């Protein structure tokens, strides 16, 4: 069970040669990579959202593609199209930037809904259709979309169906004073330091091996029931109009397996669910008018749910490791 743990440690250590702070963001990106998820990054300009994605891809040695999402961007600019080549007298497929391993859709809410929807098939089906022809995307495949929460003029908010396709919504916060001082020192001492300074620390095939390891992580029935209680509670909360979907439950459970494996365990514990719940569930909730009037946020709803749902005893979870589970 060491492969995911070593993979994450290698990525974290290499990225830290440029990046200061945001270790939890790197961990969540690794979890999404190992569970075929996607990530929505939110933060004000200048907090290194795109840089984090670039560092992550370079440390993995993967193909990194950045798409600047603007109102005039067309779906074909994302997926590609057939282009007529006069020298050979026929059409040839020109693949778009979606054909990469790590795709950064920068400021995704600035693109029109029609262009945003071009990402949906790729994110869910890992394929795109160009003029009736379906093409598979490379593996691994990870979409990291960014958005700026303070400039909303001329933007198109992601619809609920599209938000639900992101495994995590993560907030890249401003650094504290000590971290910012370290950033100033590092880039003063080495002005040429960029994401290009990062070396690949993962060999070909390591990601697939680590993904296979994650699928073997044991999920005890008490832990499954605990997650179901959380999901059900989001649907019954007074501030929620539409709670977490079944897709949300699957994404959270798979993320918990990867979190456990990165921690060096062969089994999921309730704390894995607790640590991931806000990042995995909050962006999927549709709050009621009452919540808006009361200034209640989705993360506050998840915190309330976690406080109200009792977690199973650790002994009950560990007992299942010695006894095979019986199908209901």
């Amino acid at each position: 069970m060491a492969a995911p743990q070593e993979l994450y440690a290698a990525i974290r250590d290499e990225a830290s040669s440029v990046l200061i702070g945001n270790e939890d963001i790197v961990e969540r990106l690794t979890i999404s990579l190992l569970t075929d998820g996607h990530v929505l990054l939110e933060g004000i300009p200048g907090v290194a959202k795109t840089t984090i994605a670039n560092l992550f891809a370079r440390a993995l040695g993967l193909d990194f593609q950045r798409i600047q999402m603007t109102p005039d961007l067309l779906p074909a600019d994302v997926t590609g199209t057939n282009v007529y080549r006069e020298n050979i007298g026929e059409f040839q497929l020109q693949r778009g930037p979606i054909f990469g391993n790590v795709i950064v859709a920068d400021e995704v809410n600035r693109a029109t809904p029609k262009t945003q929807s071009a990402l949906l098939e790729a994110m869910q089906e890992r394929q795109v259709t160009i003029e009736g022809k379906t093409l598979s995307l490379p593996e691994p495949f990870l979409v990291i979309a960014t958005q700026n929460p303070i400039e909303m003029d001329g933007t198109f908010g992601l619809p609920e169906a599209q938000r639900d396709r992101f495994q995590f919504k993560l907030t890249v916060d401003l650094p504290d004073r000590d971290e910012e001082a370290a950033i100033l020192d590092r880039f003063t001492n080495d002005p040429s330091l960029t994401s290009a300074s990062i070396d690949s620390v993962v060999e070909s095939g390591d990601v697939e091996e680590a993904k296979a390891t994650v699928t073997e992580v044991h999920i005890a029935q008490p832990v499954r029931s605990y997650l179901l209680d959380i999901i059900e509670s989001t649907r019954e909360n007074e501030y929620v109009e539409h709670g977490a979907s079944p897709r949300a439950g699957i994404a959270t459970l798979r993320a918990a397996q990867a979190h456990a494996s990165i921690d060096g365990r062969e089994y999921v514990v309730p704390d894995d669910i607790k640590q991931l719940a806000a990042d995995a569930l909050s962006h999927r909730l549709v709050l009621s008018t009452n919540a808006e009037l009361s200034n209640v946020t989705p993360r506050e709803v998840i915190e309330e749910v976690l406080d109200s749902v009792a977690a199973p005893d650790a002994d009950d979870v560990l007992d299942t490791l010695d006894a095979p589970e019986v199908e209901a």
Side-chain angles (χ1 to χ4, degrees):
M1 297 299 296
Q5 188 178 27
E6 293 175 355
L7 183 91
Y8 165 63
I11 296 169
R12 179 199 61 205
D13 294 345
E14 183 64 20
S16 67
S17 64
V18 174
L19 189 67
I20 293 176
N22 291 306
E23 186 176 305
D24 56 335
I25 303 291
V26 175
E27 182 196 60
R28 298 297 194 265
L29 288 174
T30 305
I31 289 172
S32 284
L33 178 75
L34 296 178
T35 55
D36 294 329
H38 306 288
V39 176
L40 180 62
L41 286 182
E42 186 173 85
I44 65 172
V47 291
K49 299 186 297 296
T50 306
T51 300
I52 291 171
N54 200 347
L55 293 173
F56 184 74
R58 284 183 175 275
L60 286 164
L62 298 177
D63 181 27
F64 171 80
Q65 297 288 338
R66 179 177 177 270
I67 308 171
Q68 185 62 52
M69 308 293 276
T70 56
D72 60 346
L73 196 73
L74 299 175
D77 296 326
V78 175
T79 60
T81 188
N82 287 312
V83 177
Y84 183 73
R85 305 294 186 188
E86 188 173 356
N87 59 327
I88 61 175
E90 61 182 43
F91 284 91
Q92 282 189 338
L93 176 65
Q94 181 69 45
R95 294 175 183 248
I98 198 68
F99 287 90
N101 297 117
V102 178
I103 312 299
V104 173
D106 213 5
E107 295 189 283
V108 65
N109 55 337
R110 292 202 175 278
T112 62
K114 184 176 182 179
T115 302
Q116 289 176 9
S117 67
L119 294 171
L120 294 182
E121 182 183 13
M123 293 171 65
Q124 187 66 27
E125 306 296 335
R126 299 187 174 278
Q127 65 183 31
V128 295
T129 302
I130 301 175
E131 297 183 17
K133 185 177 181 180
T134 300
L135 303 169
S136 298
L137 293 170
E139 290 288 348
F141 179 72
L142 171 67
V143 172
I144 305 173
T146 73
Q147 61 181 15
N148 176 359
I150 63 172
E151 294 181 6
M152 305 307 294
D153 291 340
T155 63
F156 304 87
L158 297 179
E160 290 80 0
Q162 190 161 340
R163 294 202 308 265
D164 196 46
R165 282 170 168 78
F166 288 98
Q167 185 177 38
F168 293 130
K169 179 185 177 184
L170 309 175
T171 300
V172 184
D173 294 317
L174 288 167
D176 61 32
R177 186 180 179 86
D178 291 340
E179 288 176 336
E180 192 154 11
I183 292 171
L184 293 177
D185 290 342
R186 178 169 294 182
F187 286 91
T188 299
N189 295 331
D190 189 357
S192 64
L193 191 64
T194 66
S195 56
S197 307
I198 293 293
D199 294 324
S200 172
V201 293
V202 178
E203 295 183 3
S204 177
D206 285 351
V207 174
E208 291 303 315
E209 181 182 344
K211 288 171 66 173
T213 299
V214 166
T215 62
E216 299 298 322
V217 173
H218 178 73
I219 309 168
Q221 190 58 48
V223 175
R224 295 175 188 263
S225 297
Y226 176 55
L227 176 59
L228 288 172
D229 289 341
I230 291 173
I231 297 295
E232 185 176 6
S233 186
T234 67
R235 298 168 184 168
E236 297 174 349
N237 189 279
E238 61 177 316
Y239 293 117
V240 177
E241 186 172 337
H242 297 289
S245 67
R247 182 190 284 128
I250 294 170
T252 305
L253 198 61
R254 296 199 64 197
Q257 287 180 292
H259 189 268
S261 194
I262 284 174
D263 199 41
R265 284 179 281 107
E266 299 182 13
Y267 55 91
V268 175
V269 296
D271 197 53
D272 292 316
I273 304 290
K274 280 186 177 181
Q275 290 190 43
L276 299 171
D279 291 337
L281 300 177
S282 60
H283 60 290
R284 306 171 191 268
L285 304 184
V286 179
L287 300 189
S288 64
T289 304
N290 187 27
E292 295 178 8
L293 294 175
S294 303
N295 292 320
V296 174
T297 67
R299 282 186 172 265
E300 289 173 339
V301 170
I302 297 300
E303 290 172 5
E304 179 183 316
V305 166
L306 292 175
D307 289 339
S308 64
V309 176
D313 292 334
D315 290 341
D316 292 339
V317 176
L318 294 176
D319 286 345
T320 66
L321 301 177
D322 300 321
E325 292 188 55
V326 178
E327 294 291 336

